[in-house]
Amino acid sequence: MKQFVLGIVLVSTLFACQQKKYGAFIVSGKIENSPSNKILLEALPFGAQQPVVVDSTTLASNGNFELRGTATTEGLYLLAIENGPQVLFINDSKDIKVVMDAHHYKTYTTNGSAASTALHQFLEQYSTKFDPLADAYLQADSLQNTPHADSALSASVNLRKETLLKNFNGFLEQTIKESTSPALTYYVIGKAFKTMQPDAIKQLTDASVAKFKDNAGGLMRLQEIINGQMATDPKIALMNKPAPDFTLADTSGKMVSLSSLKGKYVLVDFWASWCSPCRQENPNVVAAYNQFKDKNFTVLGVSLDNDKAAWLKAIHQDHLTWTHVSDLKQWQSSVVDLYKITGIPFNVLVNPQGIIIGVELRGVALQNKLAEVLK
């Protein structure tokens, strides 16, 4: 099995090429301790599940090699040792040098290709930043599945997870904004699908298309994919759209409409007393409400309960002091189809004009979004 340079994921939507004439290029250099004498130059074309061999050669006795390719676009390529490690690079110049020790392939060097050097630096930083985030998610998931887990510990772990997530996404965003290579930009946006919200990815993609307007062929295709995804995914489709109105009974039987709260920022929080993840998230919602309730902000709790006594008990136990409504029909509630709800907890943040400006905001993400809009 081939070893991949850390961070390479061959997802078909990640490897579009950019429309810029680059012509012929040469990749040469030296490879030490190679497990095979056969070396391949492979392209990663848009939409392909597997790399395409462009050229191949045999290592000289001193480890030197030279490979040639021709491309009309800037794209992503692999320098691959047969049955050995691979190096990812970008054909942004006509003469690219690669030096690698197969025993320590992650420390390869590239010369003559600024985009390849930037890509290598990104991959190294990606590993350093992503691994702690992945560990934090595993720890948080483990606690969530542990009966009677310590609430203070869970809150601490979730806070760490959300902080690492914010910092990691900030790293991706900064890399994308500072990139001078359309191929590198495309690759990093592909990585962002793991951790960023779709609306944030769309904003970065739209900006990148404008930035590389003369070389944005692949980015434009990615833009089309994202737009299609946002149009077909109900939750994503809610963003920047008017919040669907509804009217349900509150705890005393009084009918309350979402539209009656227009003029305020409203977190519409869909939850239920029987939903363990909802109950674990409630302290975060309480903290957000207490912090921002005097800044034209409120919460409207919408329960998918079918037992009124259990609903009222949970409201009291979790200290949820805002308005609560429910038709007590659980998954047959009218709001389920209206908001295309497939799981809870689920929420939307509605601005004073009645437009949804946030979807599925949890943990630190909720605090950060409220701090952003309620300055």
Side-chain angles (χ1 to χ4, degrees), residues 236-250:
I236 298 173
L238 291 170
M239 276 296 299
N240 302 315
K241 300 292 193 307
D245 196 20
F246 57 85
T247 302
L248 295 174
D250 68 9

Side-chain angles (χ1 to χ4, degrees), residues 54-66:
V54 174
D55 192 15
S56 64
T57 191
T58 301
L59 281 179
S61 58
N62 61 358
N64 289 346
F65 69 92
E66 182 176 288

Side-chain angles (χ1 to χ4, degrees), residues 271-279 303-306 310 314 330-331 344:
W271 73 295
S273 65
W274 47 262
C275 168
S276 178
C278 301
R279 303 294 295 274
S303 172
L304 300 188
D305 273 286
N306 59 4
Q330 204 167 23
W331 288 107
I344 52 176

Side-chain angles (χ1 to χ4, degrees), residues 7-320:
I8 298 175
V9 179
L10 295 180
V11 180
S12 63
T13 58
L14 302 188
F15 301 117
C17 300
Q18 312 307 320
Q19 296 179 354
K20 179 177 179 180
K21 294 184 178 180
Y22 283 81
F25 64 95
I26 298 173
V27 185
S28 61
K30 185 173 184 177
I31 299 176
E32 297 180 345
N33 299 311
S34 176
S36 170
N37 286 331
K38 188 173 182 180
I39 309 299
L40 305 173
L41 173 62
E42 300 177 331
L44 297 173
F46 177 84
Q49 295 294 332
Q50 297 294 330
V52 176
V53 176
V54 174
D55 192 15
S56 64
T57 191
T58 301
L59 281 179
S61 58
N62 61 358
N64 289 346
F65 69 92
E66 182 176 288
L67 294 160
R68 295 175 179 269
T70 302
T72 59
T73 59
E74 180 181 307
L76 293 162
Y77 290 82
L78 288 171
L79 171 63
I81 301 173
E82 187 176 51
N83 298 317
Q86 303 175 339
V87 167
L88 185 65
F89 71 93
I90 297 170
N91 63 321
D92 62 327
S93 89
K94 297 184 180 299
D95 188 6
I96 302 168
K97 305 290 185 183
V98 178
V99 176
M100 175 175 61
D101 183 337
H103 289 171
H104 309 283
Y105 66 95
K106 295 178 184 178
T107 59
Y108 69 93
T109 61
T110 56
N111 290 293
S113 170
S116 297
T117 299
L119 174 58
H120 188 196
Q121 292 172 346
F122 167 76
L123 291 172
E124 290 181 323
Q125 294 180 63
Y126 185 94
S127 173
T128 301
K129 296 177 182 295
F130 183 76
D131 289 351
L133 176 61
D135 289 342
Y137 266 87
L138 288 174
Q139 188 178 6
D141 290 344
S142 176
L143 282 172
Q144 182 173 319
N145 296 323
T146 301
H148 312 297
D150 182 81
S151 58
L153 177 59
S154 296
S156 175
V157 169
N158 283 319
L159 176 60
R160 177 174 178 268
K161 180 188 72 173
E162 295 297 338
T163 301
L164 287 171
L165 177 62
K166 179 184 177 182
N167 292 339
F168 182 76
N169 285 338
F171 156 67
L172 295 180
E173 182 176 349
Q174 181 180 4
T175 302
I176 292 167
K177 289 181 176 179
E178 293 180 354
S179 171
T180 58
S181 163
L184 173 60
T185 301
Y186 200 95
Y187 182 79
V188 180
I189 289 176
K191 289 291 190 183
F193 275 86
K194 287 185 178 181
T195 57
M196 276 191 182
Q197 292 293 325
D199 58 313
I201 296 175
K202 175 174 171 51
Q203 290 178 11
L204 290 169
T205 303
D206 291 345
S208 297
V209 168
K211 177 180 178 180
F212 298 107
K213 57 186 176 183
D214 296 329
N215 312 295
L219 285 165
M220 290 177 66
R221 294 186 68 182
L222 178 57
Q223 188 180 50
E224 292 172 0
I225 291 171
I226 294 171
N227 288 340
Q229 180 186 7
M230 295 188 76
T232 57
D233 187 322
K235 293 179 182 178
I236 298 173
L238 291 170
M239 276 296 299
N240 302 315
K241 300 292 193 307
D245 196 20
F246 57 85
T247 302
L248 295 174
D250 68 9
T251 56
S252 65
K254 178 184 176 182
M255 302 307 290
V256 177
S257 298
L258 172 60
S259 56
S260 68
L261 300 173
K262 196 169 184 178
K264 289 188 173 184
Y265 285 92
V266 182
L267 183 72
V268 187
D269 185 32
F270 300 93
W271 73 295
S273 65
W274 47 262
C275 168
S276 178
C278 301
R279 303 294 295 274
Q280 291 178 6
E281 178 66 12
N282 277 343
N284 181 59
V285 182
V286 170
Y289 177 74
N290 289 336
Q291 182 176 352
F292 295 103
K293 64 183 179 180
D294 296 326
K295 295 186 177 182
N296 200 36
F297 168 74
T298 192
V299 178
L300 178 62
V302 184
S303 172
L304 300 188
D305 273 286
N306 59 4
D307 183 331
K308 187 172 183 178
W311 174 39
L312 296 178
K313 182 179 179 181
I315 292 173
H316 175 72
Q317 287 181 336
D318 293 359
H319 309 289
L320 312 181

